[in-house]
Amino acid sequence: MHGTLSATRVDHARRVAQIVLADLPERWQHTAGVAGRAEELAAALGEDPDVLVAAAWLHDIGYAETVRDTGFHPLDGARYLDDNGWPQRISALVAHHSGACYVAAVRNLQDAMLAYPREESSLADALTYADQTVGPGGRRMPVEQRISDMLRRHGPRSPNAVAHRLRGPHLLALAHRVECRLAAAGT
């Protein structure tokens, strides 16, 4: 592994998420599951583990009422992180997790997303993979099942459903890349 987990950054991210998501127990369970999955991926992939795990803890804070601004959780979470002094890389990872750029375009928020550089790296892939393999309540599930569940929960006319023709293939290709990396690493 290229680095070890920075307990300070990761613990701070966990505390922030726990406080901000206190009124959203199912979202908190999902977040804890994503962070746990990110820790596993960080151990296998070895790239900036503290950044990956901290971003995993923070990826859904934009759902909290106290954080909500635009109603688009990746953007709202990233703005909150900016306002609270988090590194830009973590804010940008939160802004762009799980193919958020596709949904942002449907919601007419693509210009606002330009404030956050979109990272295309194995770390960004790992964050999305962690999110897309943990469902509501923290349950592990295959990516295909997670996508189906998300589409069902959000409904056929939601921005997520409208963006799916581009976002769905992106998520599946990303999952394939991560799974190939994991296989190469022997996990």
Side-chain angles (χ1 to χ4, degrees):
M1 190 153 69
H2 296 288
T4 58
L5 288 178
S6 165
T8 304
R9 180 180 288 170
V10 171
D11 288 346
H12 183 56
R14 182 188 50 74
R15 282 191 305 275
V16 168
Q18 189 172 25
I19 290 165
V20 170
L21 297 173
D23 293 336
L24 301 170
E26 189 174 63
R27 183 63 51 194
W28 166 251
Q29 291 169 339
H30 164 76
T31 296
V34 171
R37 187 71 174 122
E39 284 183 22
E40 294 168 11
L41 294 169
L45 301 174
E47 183 182 315
D48 294 327
D50 64 317
V51 172
L52 172 58
V53 177
W57 278 113
L58 299 166
H59 82 284
D60 273 355
I61 62 170
Y63 278 112
E65 188 64 39
T66 57
V67 174
R68 188 175 298 130
D69 178 30
T70 67
F72 185 47
H73 83 275
L75 179 59
D76 294 346
R79 287 178 170 176
Y80 176 89
L81 294 172
D82 281 352
D83 291 346
N84 285 280
W86 284 85
Q88 183 184 30
R89 185 177 188 200
I90 292 177
S91 298
L93 286 164
V94 167
H96 288 285
H97 78 276
S98 294
C101 62
Y102 300 105
V103 182
V106 171
R107 295 179 70 134
N108 232 5
L109 292 169
Q110 63 272 32
D111 289 344
M113 293 288 281
L114 293 174
Y116 302 96
R118 184 174 168 203
E119 181 175 329
E120 295 186 25
S121 67
S122 59
L123 188 146
D125 284 357
L127 175 60
T128 292
Y129 186 78
D131 186 35
Q132 294 301 309
T133 55
V134 175
R139 296 175 320 212
R140 292 273 179 103
M141 59 178 50
V143 173
E144 297 85 353
Q145 184 182 353
R146 174 85 160 108
I147 292 170
S148 294
D149 178 66
M150 176 274 303
L151 291 170
R152 180 190 53 74
R153 282 184 294 108
H154 289 273
R157 292 192 175 94
S158 70
N160 285 329
V162 174
H164 181 66
R165 69 178 182 79
L166 297 174
R167 184 177 179 235
H170 166 79
L171 294 174
L172 293 174
L174 180 148
H176 179 72
R177 287 193 303 268
V178 172
E179 289 165 357
C180 286
R181 287 183 197 116
L182 290 171
T187 56

